[in-house]
């Protein structure tokens, strides 16, 4: 343990704050299946280089998603995954092309505005009489993949689709966690090939923050089990609203 602590790029008191922030972030993940970057990202940026935050959270998100799916795998909607995953992969490729060839700042603002508008609509209490059609998975999956590649912020796009398709809150949560697990696994492989994980400080941080991730995910799951479907959907809408607000702030701060 002392050897690991010596590798950290922060002091023990700073690490304690990081641990608490990561635990809180994974309470949100355990409840909604996404949203860790929203809570943990701004806090971690005060203590570690911004360039290490995405690779660090990729490791923790993949582990959290794997834990969640392994525990409740029967709730994952295979049909929705079959529709969403190919579109998500295509969107990720398109997003990578956009990132290499242009400055996608305007897209960041549009995404934030869309997220805020959807969240306010959802919180209004209005409900359409019909669920989203299955073919809409291709649009939501592609858009989610694009914005995941561009900004690491596509998780709530999948959440919007799943909330409009699935009735059971645990089906929504576990299917969402499966999508996030697949996306972060791909991202982690990319970072591995690029040599990012040769940084021993990053790996030590991930290992020492893993208990915070496990604790938060467990607590979030327990909270979700006690919620009604309506309360769960309100929670998802609030996380989407916060995600949109953060994206808009990022646009005006850049």
């Amino acid at each position: 343990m002392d050897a690991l602590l010596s590798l950290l790029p922060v002091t023990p008191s700073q690490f304690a704050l990081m641990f608490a922030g990561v635990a809180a972030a994974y309470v949100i993940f355990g409840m909604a299946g996404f949203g860790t970057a929203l809570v943990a990202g701004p806090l971690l940026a005060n203590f570690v280089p911004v360039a290490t935050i995405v690779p660090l959270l990729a490791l923790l998100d993949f582990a959290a998603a794997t834990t969640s799916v392994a525990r409740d795998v029967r709730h994952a909607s295979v049909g929705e995954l079959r529709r969403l995953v190919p579109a998500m992969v295509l969107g990720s490729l398109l997003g990578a092309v956009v990132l290499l060839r242009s400055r996608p700042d305007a897209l960041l603002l549009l995404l934030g505005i869309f997220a805020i508008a959807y969240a306010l609509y959802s919180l209004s209490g209005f409900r359409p009489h019909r669920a989203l059609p299955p073919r809409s998975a291709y649009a939501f999956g592609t858009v989610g993949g694009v914005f995941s590649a561009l900004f690491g912020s596509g998780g709530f796009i999948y959440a919007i689709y799943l909330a409009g398709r699935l009735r059971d809150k645990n089906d929504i949560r576990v299917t969402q966690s499966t999508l996030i697990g697949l996306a972060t696994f791909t991202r982690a492989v990319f970072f591995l090939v690029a040599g990012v994980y040769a940084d021993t400080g990053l790996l030590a941080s991930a290992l020492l923050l893993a208990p915070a991730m496990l604790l938060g995910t467990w607590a979030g799951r327990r909270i979700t089990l006690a919620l009604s479907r309506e309360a769960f959907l309100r929670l998802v809408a609030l996380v989407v609203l916060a995600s949109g607000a953060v994206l808009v702030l990022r646009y005006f701060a850049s």
Side-chain angles (χ1 to χ4, degrees):
M1 180 63 72
D2 290 339
L4 283 174
L5 289 171
S6 68
L7 295 173
L8 290 176
V10 296
T11 65
S13 59
Q14 289 174 330
F15 177 75
L17 291 174
M18 289 172 58
F19 191 95
V22 167
Y26 281 98
V27 170
I28 301 297
F29 184 93
M31 291 191 293
F34 70 105
T36 52
L38 171 69
V39 178
L43 174 69
L44 293 175
N46 292 302
F47 305 114
V48 298
V50 174
T52 68
I53 294 174
V54 173
L56 173 62
L57 291 179
L59 289 176
L60 294 174
D61 278 358
F62 176 66
T66 301
T67 301
S68 178
V69 173
R71 184 184 292 122
D72 297 312
V73 65
R74 67 186 183 280
H75 287 287
S77 174
V78 176
E80 298 299 349
L81 291 171
R82 285 175 176 169
R83 284 186 283 268
L84 284 168
V85 171
M88 181 178 71
V89 172
L90 174 62
S92 297
L93 294 174
L94 292 174
V97 172
V98 172
L99 188 62
L100 291 172
R101 298 192 173 208
S102 67
R103 290 176 54 84
D105 295 347
L107 293 177
L108 185 69
L109 178 61
L110 291 174
L111 178 64
I113 293 172
F114 168 75
I116 291 171
Y118 168 81
L120 293 176
Y121 160 80
S122 181
L123 290 169
S124 72
F126 177 79
R127 292 290 180 271
H129 296 294
R130 299 175 62 183
L132 289 172
R135 63 179 179 276
S136 63
Y138 306 118
F140 278 93
T142 302
V143 172
V146 167
F147 286 104
S148 290
L150 289 175
F151 311 115
S153 303
F156 69 87
I157 298 291
Y158 311 132
I160 292 171
Y161 170 78
L162 293 173
R165 285 285 301 161
L166 301 176
R167 296 297 304 169
D168 186 270
K169 63 185 180 183
N170 287 318
D171 292 358
I172 298 171
R173 178 179 60 84
V174 178
T175 305
Q176 174 78 20
S177 293
T178 304
L179 287 167
I180 297 301
L182 291 170
T184 53
F185 174 74
T186 303
R187 201 174 301 161
V189 169
F190 171 78
F191 289 135
L192 179 64
V193 173
V196 175
Y197 293 131
D199 182 348
T200 54
L202 189 157
L203 293 179
S205 297
L207 190 59
L208 289 170
L209 289 171
M213 175 272 293
L214 292 171
L215 178 63
T217 303
W218 173 83
R221 178 178 180 271
R222 298 299 300 175
I223 293 170
T224 299
L225 292 176
L227 294 176
S228 66
R229 183 178 189 274
E230 290 70 26
F232 174 78
L233 292 179
R234 284 196 297 272
L235 168 70
V236 171
L238 287 171
V239 177
V240 171
L241 178 63
S243 299
V246 168
L247 292 178
V248 171
L249 290 173
R250 278 176 58 184
Y251 171 80
F252 285 108
S254 62

